[in-house]
Amino acid sequence: MAVTIKDVAKIANVAPSTVSRVIANSPRISEKTKEKVREVMHQLGYHPNFIARSLASQSTQAIGLIMPSSTDIVFQNPFFPIVLGGLSEGAQAKQYVLHMTTGKTDHEIYEGVVSMIQGGRVDGMILLSSKVEDKVLSYLHEQDFPFVVIGKPFKDTESITHVDNDNFKAAREVTNYLISLGHEKIGFIGGDLNLVVTVDRLLGYEKALEEAGIPLTSEYIIHNQFLREGGREAVQILLSSGAMPTALVVADDLMALGVLNALDEVGISVPEDLSIVSFNNVMIAEMAKPPLTSVDINIFNLGFEAAKSLIQKIENPNEPAKRIIIPYEIVERLSCSEPKAKKGSTP
Amino acid sequence: MAVTIKDVAKIANVAPSTVSRVIANSPRISEKTKEKVREVMHQLGYHPNFIARSLASQSTQAIGLIMPSSTDIVFQNPFFPIVLGGLSEGAQAKQYVLHMTTGKTDHEIYEGVVSMIQGGRVDGMILLSSKVEDKVLSYLHEQDFPFVVIGKPFKDTESITHVDNDNFKAAREVTNYLISLGHEKIGFIGGDLNLVVTVDRLLGYEKALEEAGIPLTSEYIIHNQFLREGGREAVQILLSSGAMPTALVVADDLMALGVLNALDEVGISVPEDLSIVSFNNVMIAEMAKPPLTSVDINIFNLGFEAAKSLIQKIENPNEPAKRIIIPYEIVERLSCSEPKAKKGSTP
DNA sequence: TTGTACGCGTTATCAC
DNA sequence: GTGATAACGCGTACAA
């Protein structure tokens, strides 16, 4: 059996409570006994038992996270490991650990969250992608359990702490960028409309067109999974509709890669025939041929700040909800140019 | 305060211990009282407190994992999220959760492991990449704490449970494949020689050459980080040495991608001028231009089996150490062909 | 079959 | 400043 606080107390000739106070570095203990107790702790190789501490203090120093199932879209996207990195570093900075489970179905995930929380395993939760109707979110909200969502909650935006990019603005900005290059036939390929992020980006895209006086073309707007296959299919839909835009706003790099592949196969070249801007700026954006102009949404910081503000919320339960906006940056590469028709005409 | 076992006991008119037994589904409780107690549990929305349970039963149903720092090589490689997926699904299957921390330096990681274990937070540990001199591994080993390593331990292979591929055999096989295509000038680009996996693959490569009676050329063997930049640099070294092989065994897809990029820049085309086979078969292998012939090492299963056998070990502490070999598969794509010189001569 | 009592290793609330 | 002592919520001998 491991050495406990009692063992230390006995050898140091003090009471267990004194040892506990030394651990907590209580100011009401004399430097002399502190020294003595620390000496013994060291000598015995004492390590505090987190479980017992958690039980007594009703806090675990752990934050919960439900991983999407490995078959899931979210998981296959490089987005995931990067937020995870940010989360764990943000947690680590405040001496918190990450506590993870997986769930295959929505129901499994829900049950996982409930047992994590009711079981007292974690002090707070991180919610990854928020859907339009999110049972988990509603649950946490009504339980008044500390949580923060990465992305934008569909409703109650004001009362839920979340960290997000200004996706609306970003989408408007990249669309304007394409417009400024001379494009008018601009399409949008986004993910599941149940995901709030898709909605935001779509709205930004629409807003930009509207402001430029360009009418929306419904054939130009396609939704699919945030995956490479989603991008491929989107191109096929576009092709079969007969109406091909000259530029595309794609809501995810992986999708954009699928788009690139599909275009390559049918001999449409980027950026000569078609310009593309995408979102996230993960490694593949740089690797693609041609390298993609992409919106760097600073994924790592999304995670880092989420962890930070969750811990803040855990330790100050009465603070009001916050919205944290992580800045984005458009990284120009080689996937955009002026539309073909205009090309010769400008000079 | 949450509803406890006592509350349930009171309402159900039984002793707390009875409720506890109902939860554990003890056979010595009558079906009738079980029914009654369950009814009350449901009605009150009772959820067992994991922390208290852990303290009493001295087991946490959690397995520990130290994430590499997000700045680290391991982390940037798509390998990581995939094993993580396997691990978490393997854990989930037996109702275990994952407990994660990060560590920037080796020392931080070591301290993290010690406090995780001595703090009683986890029942077992997963070790990701095993280095040649691994303090963490030695610590766990001498503590006789349940752990399994993914990859091959440098020493004590027989007494340490690990799950691995037969990297030696795989490397020999792909090298033979290149030889069978007619190549004789075959290079090897691997990762850090401190990583056991690199050593294994290098040895397999050397063995194949030896068996084919092809002398080793030290200029053809290069080590670098398992990253894209590592691949780029390797090519530069190769180029500046003046001796360019006609084929390359690259120990990692991401490195291979770097190789591809660097070759592209200097106008060497794959597979016409140079054949490449790489390892891991992550998504980018398929995405690369040309798509890479790669050894699929079944990363997900590596994680899945690791979690499974760790839990097995936790629940049966006396079982002897096991070695689990996950099968690999060579996935042929378009990055290999016969060497140029031989090309015309065969028909 | 069920209840009583104690222990798991801490923290926290009193006293002194 | 420091020492008893009671929680924290549950598992489990031991009794009954």
Side-chain angles (χ1 to χ4, degrees), chain A residues 15 17-18 21 28-30 33 55-56:
Chain A
S17 48
T18 304
R21 291 192 185 101
R28 332 188 305 185
I29 298 286
S30 75
T33 38
L55 186 58

Side-chain angles (χ1 to χ4, degrees), chain A residues 71-118:
Chain A
T71 55
D72 196 325
I73 334 161
V74 192
F75 187 78
Q76 295 186 42
N77 202 306
F79 181 93
F80 180 71
I82 307 176
V83 242
L84 186 57
L87 284 171
S88 80
E89 229 155 89
Q92 174 83 351
K94 301 272 187 193
Q95 315 274 47
Y96 276 68
V97 299
L98 250 39
H99 200 90
M100 295 199 351
T101 326
T102 327
K104 281 200 229 306
T105 64
D106 276 1
H107 181 254
E108 241 182 67
I109 292 182
Y110 181 77
E111 285 305 318
V113 172
V114 172
S115 96
M116 235 188 209
I117 291 175
Q118 302 296 341

Side-chain angles (χ1 to χ4, degrees), chain A residues 55 78 91-92 96 104 110 114 122 140 146 190 219 230 236 244 249 259 273 285 309 311:
Chain A
L55 186 58
Q92 174 83 351
Y96 276 68
K104 281 200 229 306
Y110 181 77
V114 172
V122 297
L140 293 170
E219 287 82 20
Q236 278 145 19
M244 204 59 183
V249 175
V259 169
D273 304 322
S309 47
I311 293 170

Side-chain angles (χ1 to χ4, degrees), chain A residues 2 24 30 53 96 122 144-145 203-204 216 226 229 232 288 329 339:
Chain A
S30 75
R53 171 179 290 183
Y96 276 68
V122 297
D144 203 26
F145 190 81
L203 289 175
L216 292 182
F226 272 145
E229 277 314 305
R232 299 188 72 90
E329 187 191 357

Side-chain angles (χ1 to χ4, degrees), chain A residues 281 292-296 329-335:
Chain A
N281 193 36
L292 292 165
T293 291
S294 182
V295 180
D296 188 336
E329 187 191 357
I330 300 177
V331 179
E332 289 188 40
R333 296 207 181 82
L334 307 175
S335 60

Side-chain angles (χ1 to χ4, degrees), chain B residues 28-290:
Chain B
R28 335 187 301 185
I29 298 287
S30 75
E31 271 310 319
K32 206 172 120 204
T33 36
K34 274 190 187 173
E35 203 102 331
K36 185 175 64 183
V37 171
R38 289 205 182 107
E39 165 72 32
V40 176
M41 286 185 356
H42 198 80
Q43 173 191 324
L44 290 170
Y46 169 79
H47 282 267
N49 183 311
F50 284 103
I51 303 295
R53 170 180 290 183
S54 295
L55 186 59
S57 66
Q58 301 286 59
S59 92
T60 60
Q61 299 268 102
I63 80 188
L65 176 67
I66 304 281
M67 268 181 56
S69 149
S70 41
T71 56
D72 195 327
I73 333 162
V74 193
F75 188 77
Q76 296 185 44
N77 203 305
F79 181 93
F80 179 71
I82 307 178
V83 245
L84 185 58
L87 284 170
S88 79
E89 228 155 88
Q92 174 82 351
K94 303 270 188 196
Q95 314 274 46
Y96 277 68
V97 299
L98 251 40
H99 201 90
M100 299 197 353
T101 325
T102 326
K104 282 199 228 307
T105 65
D106 275 1
H107 180 255
E108 240 182 66
I109 292 183
Y110 181 77
E111 286 304 319
V113 171
V114 173
S115 94
M116 236 189 212
I117 291 176
Q118 303 295 341
R121 289 230 223 210
V122 297
D123 295 340
M125 287 267 339
I126 295 284
L127 254 48
L128 271 185
S129 64
S130 79
K131 310 209 202 81
V132 167
E133 280 300 335
D134 203 320
K135 270 187 72 180
V136 172
L137 199 152
S138 319
Y139 173 77
L140 293 171
H141 202 30
E142 74 189 22
Q143 290 281 319
D144 202 25
F145 190 80
F147 73 103
V148 354
V149 351
I150 294 182
K152 192 165 89 177
F154 181 58
K155 56 178 186 181
D156 301 328
T157 325
E158 297 306 320
S159 57
I160 294 175
T161 294
H162 60 285
V163 12
D164 195 13
N165 306 103
D166 192 338
N167 281 303
F168 174 83
K169 183 156 157 262
R172 189 168 66 166
E173 195 169 330
V174 293
T175 310
N176 277 333
Y177 168 70
L178 291 171
I179 294 172
S180 75
L181 285 174
H183 293 279
E184 290 182 348
K185 292 155 73 174
I186 303 174
F188 178 88
I189 300 183
D192 193 331
L193 261 181
N194 271 333
L195 266 41
V196 181
V197 55
T198 304
V199 179
D200 276 3
R201 290 180 184 165
L202 177 59
L203 290 176
Y205 154 85
E206 291 180 348
K207 180 72 173 179
L209 292 186
E210 184 193 311
E211 286 172 344
I214 301 173
L216 291 182
T217 311
S218 63
E219 287 82 18
Y220 284 175
I221 300 178
I222 296 177
H223 293 284
N224 223 318
Q225 287 191 326
F226 273 146
L227 271 189
R228 200 149 55 102
E229 275 315 305
R232 299 188 71 92
E233 288 170 25
V235 170
Q236 277 147 19
I237 296 171
L238 233 35
L239 284 169
S240 64
S241 82
M244 204 59 183
T246 66
L248 243 32
V249 175
V250 185
D252 178 88
D253 288 331
L254 214 50
M255 285 191 93
L257 194 76
V259 170
L260 238 36
N261 286 168
L263 291 174
D264 188 49
E265 283 166 18
V266 295
I268 296 177
S269 52
V270 177
E272 290 76 11
D273 304 323
L274 187 70
S275 291
I276 294 181
V277 319
S278 67
F279 276 81
N280 290 11
N281 193 36
V282 296
M283 195 192 350
I284 50 174
E286 189 191 340
M287 282 170 21
K289 305 231 165 162

